[in-house]
Amino acid sequence: MGTIKFINHASVLISDGKNSILTDPWYFGTAFDNGWSLLHQNSDSEIRDLLDEVNYIWISHEHPDHFSVPFFKKYLEKIKKNKISIIFQKTKDQRVKKFLNINKLKVYEIDDKEEFEINNKFKIKVIKSDFYDSSLLLDINGYKIFNLNDCPISSKKEIMNFKKKYGSCDLLLTQFSYAAWKGGKSNIEWMVNSAQNKIHTLVDQSNILEAKFTIPFASYIYFSNDYNFYLNSYSNKIKELSNIKNTKSNIIIMSPNEKQDFNNIKQNNSSISFWENKYADIKNLPKTNFDETVPLEDIYQQIDKYKKDVFKVNSKLLIFLISLIPFLGAFKDLKIKLIDHNKIINFNFFKRVTLVNDQNNYNIEMHSKSFYFLVKNSFGFDTLTVNGCFDIRSKKSFNIFAKNFAIGNLNNLGIKLNAGIIFNYKIFLLFFEKVKKVNDYL
């Protein structure tokens, strides 16, 4: 009927014996501005042999642990030679598609819920989720696989709604641990609760979607920077997965390059041991650090450029008017402590950057390299909140931070602060709702 081969992190190879689709290839290097690393890295020979088995590569979303630019650059000629096509959700910004097209790769853009035929007995659907995630639903000779990866389908109501639309599955693939900043080093309660909630979500997804088998994946990473390494203390490990009892689904832990037949899926004890050993050795795995300080003058210049770039695609007047509305709390003064400079700068879209003399008067702290990355890239806010290489001083601080710098992420989704915002107000409100949820945990 078909097979599934686990490769790494969120990457599996699914085949019906005639055609195969590879998901989210990230096999080496770091992600999220050197904030994440893989617990295990695949060898070059393994990757090259793998690509000889692949007809299609599906990318769930643009995050670098799913869309690995270094992977595509390194294996571009191999992908072309093997005539491997790329499947991606249709997006407004088309940044992923443009990158792939520039490199002369064949890309299939799939509309939300559109059925794509690999062959007459192998069909898939891409289901958009939240701001930019997507899930992959596969039907191979009537055998149904749901790959939910990072999609925030977590509450029982959300899972039940998903089931009403798409039915149940034979095999479920889903994330099993938290993958972002959780309130800073002192917020142990949030980290513990987040880890537990991931297990609860996995159980609820398995039960409600009636999965016969559940393969936990998309979390085989460690926070690998000196500044965020503490996040590993409370993340879910294999022990938490092995102790799951309250589901009828069979939880299957797979190790790299392990291949199983749909008709005979079973747990290999060696796979559990493989990951247990990896987690036990986290403290000895390589760590990155901020070994260079970005000069203040370079930071000031990049801030000016960042503001100009924002105002190129958003209404400066509208941003100013929003900043005057007290209850929105958007585009207010944000005081950032650059820990390597031991200086505090005041950021505001409508004021020049100034230094703050009071060393206790700041909202957020981070290394100058993190802040430089933040203002250099439109996706900088998203990256920083995932890698967790920052800390806040007060509960209100994250709110001020998000409402200054999330605008780049909104723009990447095609949402601009101009007269057209009225047509995207629901997504805009969703962003404010997400910020409120974060504040509730702080």
Side-chain angles (χ1 to χ4, degrees), residues 335-337 344 359-365 393 397:
K335 297 175 177 63
I336 307 111
K337 182 175 183 178
I344 300 167
Q359 288 295 299
N360 290 314
N361 184 17
Y362 63 91
N363 305 111
I364 189 167
E365 65 176 29
R393 186 165 177 79
S397 294

Side-chain angles (χ1 to χ4, degrees), residues 355-378:
L355 288 175
V356 178
N357 292 323
D358 184 354
Q359 288 295 299
N360 290 314
N361 184 17
Y362 63 91
N363 305 111
I364 189 167
E365 65 176 29
M366 67 187 76
H367 194 278
S368 63
K369 285 193 74 173
S370 288
F371 185 71
Y372 190 76
F373 185 94
L374 173 67
V375 291
K376 188 175 177 62
N377 300 283
S378 60

Side-chain angles (χ1 to χ4, degrees), residues 59-269:
I59 303 165
S60 61
H61 58 293
E62 196 177 344
H63 275 172
D65 62 317
H66 297 265
F67 172 51
S68 171
V69 172
F71 164 81
F72 281 100
K73 286 184 175 179
K74 184 172 182 178
Y75 296 101
L76 181 62
E77 295 309 314
K78 180 77 171 176
I79 295 170
K80 287 181 181 178
K81 181 182 177 182
N82 290 10
K83 297 181 180 179
I84 298 171
S85 300
I86 316 300
I87 297 173
F88 189 61
Q89 59 176 302
K90 186 171 285 186
T91 61
K92 289 184 178 180
D93 61 56
Q94 295 201 315
R95 292 196 309 175
V96 172
K97 182 177 184 294
K98 287 174 183 175
F99 170 85
L100 297 169
N101 285 158
I102 288 171
N103 286 285
K104 300 182 179 178
L105 293 173
K106 186 173 183 179
V107 182
Y108 290 100
E109 275 192 303
I110 308 297
D111 280 320
D112 185 30
K113 304 177 185 64
E114 175 188 356
E115 186 172 83
F116 182 86
E117 192 173 282
I118 304 292
N119 60 51
N120 62 347
K121 292 185 178 181
F122 188 169
K123 300 173 183 177
I124 66 170
K125 284 184 181 179
V126 174
I127 311 299
K128 289 193 175 187
S129 179
D130 204 49
F131 283 123
Y132 43 70
D133 285 309
S134 70
S135 60
L136 182 68
L137 312 188
L138 306 95
D139 187 327
I140 304 174
N141 290 309
Y143 190 90
K144 292 185 178 181
I145 303 171
F146 289 178
N147 179 346
L148 302 187
N149 59 86
D150 298 354
C151 293
I153 306 168
S154 53
S155 71
K156 288 185 178 181
K157 181 179 179 181
E158 290 168 331
I159 302 167
M160 289 176 70
N161 285 338
F162 191 89
K163 184 184 179 182
K164 285 179 183 178
K165 292 178 182 178
Y166 309 111
S168 57
C169 64
D170 298 286
L171 176 61
L172 172 68
L173 296 136
T174 189
Q175 187 184 48
F176 66 87
S177 190
Y178 60 72
W181 177 77
K182 297 300 172 192
K185 295 179 181 179
S186 62
N187 205 328
I188 294 173
E189 183 180 2
W190 190 7
M191 286 183 273
V192 170
N193 288 340
S194 295
Q196 291 176 345
N197 287 339
K198 279 295 180 182
I199 297 297
H200 294 158
T201 295
L202 183 149
V203 168
D204 288 340
Q205 288 176 346
S206 300
N207 289 338
I208 294 171
L209 297 175
E210 300 177 292
K212 297 179 180 69
F213 300 95
T214 298
I215 298 176
F217 82 150
S219 298
Y220 289 117
I221 62 97
Y222 67 103
F223 296 89
S224 56
N225 191 285
D226 278 330
Y227 202 84
N228 67 8
F229 200 78
Y230 72 93
L231 284 162
N232 298 308
S233 299
Y234 302 97
S235 63
N236 287 324
K237 316 294 191 299
I238 292 306
K239 179 181 178 181
E240 284 77 16
L241 298 176
S242 301
N243 289 337
I244 294 174
K245 305 295 182 185
N246 52 340
T247 177
K248 295 179 181 179
S249 184
N250 292 296
I251 308 297
I252 305 295
I253 311 299
M254 295 183 73
S255 58
N257 301 312
E258 179 182 347
K259 186 176 181 179
Q260 298 229 27
D261 191 287
F262 294 161
N263 291 321
N264 190 32
I265 296 177
K266 58 186 179 182
Q267 180 62 64
N268 293 317
N269 290 331

Side-chain angles (χ1 to χ4, degrees), residues 312-433:
K312 279 180 184 177
V313 293
N314 302 277
S315 167
K316 187 174 183 179
L317 176 60
L318 182 57
I319 290 174
F320 176 71
L321 293 174
I322 289 173
S323 74
L324 299 178
I325 303 174
F327 75 89
L328 289 180
F331 307 114
K332 304 296 185 183
D333 283 350
L334 176 69
K335 297 175 177 63
I336 307 111
K337 182 175 183 178
L338 304 175
I339 56 176
D340 47 326
H341 284 286
N342 196 30
K343 292 184 183 297
I344 300 167
I345 61 173
N346 188 71
F347 174 90
N348 186 294
F349 273 101
F350 302 99
K351 301 176 185 177
R352 292 186 63 184
V353 181
T354 56
L355 288 175
V356 178
N357 292 323
D358 184 354
Q359 288 295 299
N360 290 314
N361 184 17
Y362 63 91
N363 305 111
I364 189 167
E365 65 176 29
M366 67 187 76
H367 194 278
S368 63
K369 285 193 74 173
S370 288
F371 185 71
Y372 190 76
F373 185 94
L374 173 67
V375 291
K376 188 175 177 62
N377 300 283
S378 60
F379 52 85
F381 172 79
D382 193 31
T383 295
L384 195 61
T385 53
V386 171
N387 74 25
C389 290
F390 69 97
D391 213 339
I392 60 169
R393 186 165 177 79
S394 68
K395 184 171 181 176
K396 291 168 54 177
S397 294
F398 183 82
N399 189 53
I400 301 170
F401 174 48
K403 292 179 181 179
N404 267 295
F405 286 105
I407 189 169
N409 294 80
L410 293 172
N411 290 165
N412 290 340
L413 294 168
I415 305 164
K416 300 174 183 178
L417 293 183
N418 53 33
I421 190 64
I422 190 172
F423 300 108
N424 282 311
Y425 77 94
K426 288 184 179 180
I427 299 180
F428 194 64
L429 292 177
L430 178 61
F431 160 72
F432 276 89
E433 181 183 334

